[in-house]
Amino acid sequence: MFPWTHQAQATLQALLFDHVAARDFPCVGAKAALARGTLDVLACDRIDSAWDDVRIHDALLRFAQGYRDDPGLFRSFAVIFEGPLDLDERAFEAALWARVQSLSDKDRWRGQAYDSRVSPDPDSPHFSLSFGGEAFFIVGLHPHASRPARRFERPALVFNLHDQFERLREEGKYEGMREKILTRDEALAGSRNPMLARHGEASEARQYSGRVVDADWRCPFHYAGDDR
């Protein structure tokens, strides 16, 4: 619906590619996607504005359909925003969930069913987001993240397909890959990320923004659908 290209597309895409390619970047899955040419990037204006939400949702629908048509491993979709650059961790978290709520509402409005393999309840240990009928896990990046692995020059949301994690589990590759990422993250930060948990153990909503949250934290997301 909105195929136009943002003026900063090439610049922001190059920033992310260089960031992922850096020797100490811990996520080997993102490195694999970059090497295979399956790390898609969409440049947008501001993460604290709904201006680009329809464009983002359009791209998510295309990405989900493309995966169903050719379900290869190590694909990610990154939305990079020009700003703001001064958001602290709480402000970034609030902006992330505002974008997520808006995108989910658009998904429902456009008649997309929630992926039946996951729960839309952010308190459930089986929670994932769903766009275009595919479940997604989000990794938030921004300049002021406390964890070095989440620190990036621009605010960004990286959408990773839940189905890929399940396929890795089926192939017996998930635990080895997870341990490699944790080891690399520990080498970068000096400690392992305390927020990480396997799907089914605790709600992944607690991990999206990268901020360390306590047991009293409640996710602000609410799925507007009534089909579950």
Side-chain angles (χ1 to χ4, degrees):
M1 185 182 293
F2 293 95
W4 60 275
T5 301
H6 193 281
Q7 61 181 2
Q9 176 68 34
T11 299
L12 296 184
Q13 179 172 292
L15 275 179
L16 183 66
F17 285 1
D18 288 346
H19 183 73
V20 172
R23 186 185 184 108
D24 60 353
F25 183 74
C27 184
V28 293
K31 285 182 175 293
L34 179 62
R36 296 180 183 201
T38 51
L39 176 53
D40 294 349
V41 174
L42 182 72
C44 295
D45 282 339
R46 296 176 62 97
I47 194 172
D48 59 352
S49 167
W51 179 261
D52 287 295
D53 285 356
V54 175
R55 285 182 66 231
I56 296 169
H57 189 253
D58 283 348
L60 279 166
L61 293 184
R62 291 193 298 270
F63 186 80
Q65 187 58 55
Y67 178 71
R68 283 193 290 270
D69 292 342
D70 183 16
L73 285 173
F74 304 116
R75 296 186 177 192
S76 290
F77 171 61
V79 181
I80 310 176
F81 300 87
E82 283 196 297
L85 304 182
D86 59 351
L87 298 178
D88 63 18
E89 288 197 303
R90 288 183 181 275
F92 174 78
E93 181 181 66
L96 180 154
W97 286 109
R99 301 280 61 70
V100 164
Q101 188 67 60
S102 176
L103 293 170
S104 179
D105 291 347
K106 287 168 177 55
D107 203 69
R108 178 64 182 170
W109 177 69
R110 287 171 137 178
Q112 302 296 313
Y114 215 94
D115 190 329
S116 62
R117 297 167 294 182
V118 298
S119 171
D121 177 4
D123 292 329
S124 168
H126 301 287
F127 170 74
S128 275
L129 294 169
S130 178
F131 303 108
E134 288 289 334
F136 286 88
F137 174 97
I138 289 181
V139 175
L141 309 173
H142 64 106
H144 301 289
S146 56
R147 298 289 304 182
R150 296 296 192 101
R151 212 170 291 150
F152 180 55
E153 294 178 51
R154 298 289 191 277
L157 305 177
V158 183
F159 294 78
N160 295 298
L161 289 149
H162 174 79
D163 188 62
Q164 292 190 132
F165 296 115
E166 294 306 313
R167 289 182 62 193
L168 287 167
R169 284 189 179 94
E170 291 171 4
E171 296 176 10
K173 299 177 181 178
Y174 175 78
E175 289 299 332
M177 180 175 167
R178 182 177 186 273
E179 181 60 28
K180 185 178 289 187
I181 293 171
L182 288 171
T183 300
R184 291 172 61 87
D185 184 47
E186 185 176 16
L188 180 64
S191 64
R192 294 197 171 195
N193 190 337
M195 299 308 302
L196 296 186
R198 294 173 181 83
H199 188 80
E201 293 180 349
S203 174
E204 65 184 41
R206 299 169 63 85
Q207 303 178 41
Y208 286 2
S209 76
R211 185 173 75 87
V212 176
V213 298
D214 59 28
D216 294 329
W217 181 83
R218 291 293 177 266
C219 177
F221 173 75
H222 174 72
Y223 177 55
D226 56 4
D227 58 352
R228 294 298 303 271

